[in-house]
Amino acid sequence: MARLYVLLFLVQIVLAVCALISCLSAEEGQIRALPRIAWVLIILFFPLVGSIAWFVAGRQPSAGARKSWPGGAGSPQRQRPRPVAPDDDPEFLRSVQDRAKKQDQELFRRWEEDLRRREDDLRRRDGEPPREGDRPDV
């Protein structure tokens, strides 16, 4: 019998701790009926009853708590587009490929300009005029 009392005492403590954490982390708009400090005092002075009261009447139910299962009797099933992960979204993948292609083209263009500049510097140093006709247009 003593073990049962110890178990019930531990359950009461765990419930009170969970209720305190829930109460202290709730937003102002989610707390109903009493101010936050009143709920904290009720949970501390009456752990079992206060914890149960907090979970039943003290906080707003979450948005998903009142929804029924899809296709259930509560409401017709709505077809909403599900969010797609970025690596599964074709538009996102296309934009990444386009961005990479533009970056590659810009890097290639800068490399070509740098190579032309170096070739011109070498030709000037050797006394040859820079050749304009051999260069492809970019």
Side-chain angles (χ1 to χ4, degrees):
M1 195 69 170
R3 290 181 185 168
L4 180 63
Y5 289 138
V6 170
L7 180 66
L8 290 176
F9 177 74
L10 290 176
V11 168
Q12 175 182 341
I13 296 299
V14 168
L15 185 64
V17 168
C18 290
L20 270 174
I21 291 171
S22 174
C23 180
L24 293 174
S25 65
E27 298 288 330
E28 274 308 311
Q30 294 176 330
I31 300 174
R32 296 189 304 182
L34 297 172
R36 181 187 315 261
I37 188 70
W39 280 113
V40 170
L41 293 175
I42 290 171
I43 293 169
L44 288 176
F45 290 126
F46 309 103
L48 183 62
V49 176
S51 301
I52 294 171
W54 165 253
F55 287 120
V56 171
R59 65 181 183 150
Q60 288 279 6
S62 62
R66 297 217 183 253
K67 293 182 181 176
S68 63
W69 287 96
S75 64
Q77 182 178 1
R78 295 182 207 157
Q79 292 293 333
R80 283 185 269 151
R82 295 184 69 188
V84 179
D87 58 344
D88 291 337
D89 186 8
E91 292 178 26
F92 176 76
L93 293 175
R94 195 173 313 110
S95 72
V96 169
Q97 289 172 345
D98 292 343
R99 191 175 334 135
K101 187 176 179 180
K102 287 178 184 177
Q103 289 174 346
D104 289 346
Q105 288 173 347
E106 176 64 23
L107 183 62
F108 184 68
R109 186 189 60 76
R110 287 189 306 198
W111 283 348
E112 283 184 334
E113 287 176 0
D114 187 47
L115 181 61
R116 284 185 193 134
R117 184 184 48 79
R118 289 180 184 199
E119 286 177 349
D120 288 344
D121 289 345
L122 285 174
R123 285 193 180 101
R124 281 190 204 110
R125 193 179 72 188
D126 293 339
E128 296 177 29
R131 292 187 287 179
E132 295 293 327
D134 296 340
R135 296 187 184 147
D137 292 332
V138 178

